[in-house]
Amino acid sequence: MGNAQVPGNAREAELARMMTAHGARLAGLCTALLKDAHLAQDVVQETFLRAYTRMDSFRGGHENSERAWLTRIAINLCRDQQRSRWLRLVDRRADPEPLFASCAAGMDEESLHLLWAVEQLPPRLKEAVLLRYYNGMPTEEMAQTLHISKSAAYRRLNKACENLKRLLEGWDFDEAE
């Protein structure tokens, strides 16, 4: 894609490709951050709308930078939603089972408990965990996505792991794996 302007039909084809490649992952991330699948779908749509309108300014060139760019847009939109007056008035604390209902069907009790613990993390730590462990982003790409240094990304992950250890203390996970 690069710096050059993309013609209309090519732009639409490029958008369709991005939606296919990244849509489901972004929907899962936004659902986890917003605790609302419908609101998450709205944010994902807005993410791709913004990507479409800003396609000419994207200076990527490979899959990882495109993924980081789209994820950064989605996270910023999720943060905007979380700061909105409407969401502050609504109790957004949810049980993990309804929140992750689509993926929880085949999950065992340990996995559900881990999802519950991740859900309890402060937003910035939760973002780091979701990007690194659920989306499989390398730490460098995670740092790029969040606009933080690589060392700050490592610190967030370490702090998140410390919090998760505390939250999961006393929980008897199977150590056979």
Side-chain angles (χ1 to χ4, degrees), residues 101-169:
S102 61
C103 65
M107 287 185 153
D108 58 19
E109 186 178 350
E110 290 176 352
S111 298
L112 284 172
H113 193 75
L114 181 59
L115 283 175
W116 169 84
V118 169
E119 192 58 33
Q120 306 310 305
L121 293 173
R124 302 230 179 218
L125 300 182
K126 183 173 158 183
E127 288 171 1
V129 168
L130 291 172
L131 291 177
R132 178 70 180 106
Y133 299 109
Y134 287 91
N135 286 315
M137 271 190 187
T139 308
E140 190 170 317
E141 186 181 349
M142 184 185 83
Q144 176 188 1
T145 300
L146 297 174
H147 284 300
I148 58 176
S149 69
K150 194 172 175 180
S151 62
Y154 279 117
R155 283 192 303 274
R156 281 191 193 179
L157 286 172
N158 287 334
K159 182 134 177 100
C161 287
E162 289 171 11
N163 285 4
L164 287 171
K165 279 181 190 177
R166 248 188 336 273
L167 287 166
L168 297 171
E169 193 173 335

Side-chain angles (χ1 to χ4, degrees), residues 54-78:
R54 297 174 183 167
M55 200 175 284
D56 294 334
S57 66
F58 176 60
R59 289 172 178 75
H62 54 83
E63 179 69 19
N64 285 346
S65 61
E66 178 180 276
R67 177 171 71 166
W69 179 60
L70 291 169
T71 303
R72 183 172 43 252
I73 293 170
I75 286 174
N76 286 337
L77 289 169
C78 286

